[in-house]
Amino acid sequence: MSANGAIAEAIKEENRIHIIDFQISQGTQWITLIKALADRPGGPPHIRITGIDDSTSAYARGGGLEIVGGRLKMLAQQFKVPFEFRAVGIPASEIQVENLKIQPGEAIAVNFALVLHHMPDESVGTQNHRDRLLRMVKGLYPKVVTLVEQESNTNTAPFFARFVETLNYYSAIFESIDVALPREHRERINVEQHCLAREVVNIIACEGVERVERHELLGKWRSRFAMAGFKPYPLSSYVNGAIKALLGKYSSKYTLEEKDGALYLGWMDRHLVSSCAWR
């Protein structure tokens, strides 16, 4: 919601929009944005979404990226929004400018949702894909770049510190799930088995290039974005308020903190996810 709010604000005067999603997954993030842009005064803009995702997500999705494209196209037709979808089925770390098919006259918005921490950096090898991607994206002159990341520090931490950080972080994650869904709920079981358990095993049991779950705190991401030439873009206080109201329906132990231009979603006294925007 916070990423969509930043994108909607940044492109509110534009007629042709190109959203580049570096890990589109199920594509559900864009449902609310398409609906919101359908009601824009003067008519909706033309939306083009480039959905990037590698083949490992096909199992969870039940098929290839054409499933995502089909769903979003049907939604856009229903709300009379001019729409195009382009699938790029390769890992985000391998993306080059030519894969994105940038067109003249379109306003670009880039979405990094829970994906950059999978990119190897200078601590893994000679190719620093985190910073390479940010520099490449900056060269596209986007209207806005949104970042959503887990607020955890497991990238370069030595094993014992990484173990303790993982224990504390995922304990909070599991506690927060416990108040939302019963333990026998099928969706909860799938998330715990196929997402969270795999993440924990990868963080604890793998090293080098095999360890792809390499989270960094927002302070480190700020440094990376600043070095790539980005400046902070303010999040919408209206959207932030809507998120707070929504959270209140689940549990009072969820927290939402606005600090230094970013939004932190937490459980009790632990930040879990941060959201911010850049330009």
Side-chain angles (χ1 to χ4, degrees), residues 12-276:
K12 63 183 179 182
E13 305 293 338
E14 305 293 339
N15 294 319
R16 295 188 65 84
I17 301 160
H18 183 184
I19 298 172
I20 303 170
D21 190 341
F22 270 81
Q23 186 164 332
I24 196 162
S25 190
Q26 307 284 353
T28 52
Q29 176 176 338
W30 307 117
I31 294 174
T32 53
L33 185 63
I34 291 172
K35 290 179 179 179
L37 293 177
D39 296 329
R40 198 167 79 169
H46 181 281
I47 303 173
R48 186 158 73 101
I49 294 181
T50 294
I52 300 166
D53 211 358
D54 60 34
S55 58
T56 58
S57 297
Y59 172 77
R61 191 167 43 234
L65 285 170
E66 68 277 0
I67 294 176
V68 177
R71 288 175 187 157
L72 294 178
K73 284 177 182 176
M74 287 181 60
L75 180 76
Q77 289 174 354
Q78 179 184 346
F79 286 88
K80 297 181 172 56
V81 176
F83 183 81
E84 293 178 54
F85 181 84
R86 183 170 172 273
V88 181
I90 62 177
S93 62
E94 298 178 12
I95 291 292
Q96 304 291 335
V97 172
E98 52 266 27
N99 300 126
L100 303 176
K101 306 295 183 185
I102 303 300
Q103 297 177 2
E106 60 184 12
I108 296 172
V110 176
N111 187 56
F112 287 116
L114 306 177
V115 62
L116 276 181
H117 73 271
H118 289 149
M119 304 298 109
D121 68 353
E122 67 278 1
S123 67
V124 180
T126 56
Q127 289 189 307
N128 182 348
H129 288 292
R130 295 188 188 202
D131 294 344
R132 180 190 72 80
L133 281 178
L134 292 182
R135 290 194 300 269
M136 183 192 76
V137 166
K138 181 60 178 175
L140 303 177
Y141 301 101
K143 290 286 183 180
V144 67
V145 178
T146 50
L147 174 72
V148 179
E149 275 292 346
Q150 287 100 325
E151 188 65 5
S152 182
N153 183 21
T154 62
N155 184 21
T156 58
F159 175 78
F160 183 70
R162 194 168 79 232
F163 178 86
V164 173
E165 171 76 354
T166 303
L167 178 65
N168 292 334
Y169 182 83
Y170 283 91
S171 292
I173 291 282
F174 281 108
E175 284 180 15
S176 71
I177 293 175
D178 213 31
V179 302
L181 292 172
R183 296 189 178 187
E184 66 276 7
H185 194 282
R186 173 51 54 184
E187 184 179 353
R188 172 176 172 173
I189 293 172
N190 285 338
V191 167
E192 291 179 342
Q193 287 183 345
H194 299 298
C195 298
L196 299 178
R198 290 186 178 187
E199 290 179 12
V200 171
V201 169
N202 187 261
I203 295 170
I204 298 301
C206 299
E207 292 291 358
V209 294
E210 293 182 347
R211 183 156 62 85
V212 296
E213 298 294 337
R214 293 178 167 272
H215 306 115
E216 292 184 322
L217 298 173
L218 182 55
K220 181 63 176 178
W221 292 118
R222 288 185 194 275
S223 298
R224 292 189 186 276
F225 272 81
M227 285 190 297
F230 287 98
K231 295 182 179 179
Y233 185 89
L235 296 176
S236 166
S237 57
Y238 171 78
V239 174
N240 292 351
I243 297 172
K244 287 182 179 178
L246 183 62
L247 275 180
K249 298 178 180 179
Y250 288 93
S251 171
S252 60
K253 293 181 179 179
Y254 283 112
T255 62
L256 200 70
E257 182 181 0
E258 296 179 61
K259 186 171 67 174
D260 300 329
L263 196 63
Y264 294 86
L265 171 66
W267 176 254
M268 299 176 67
D269 58 350
R270 169 84 202 210
H271 288 153
L272 298 179
V273 180
S274 62
S275 175
C276 57

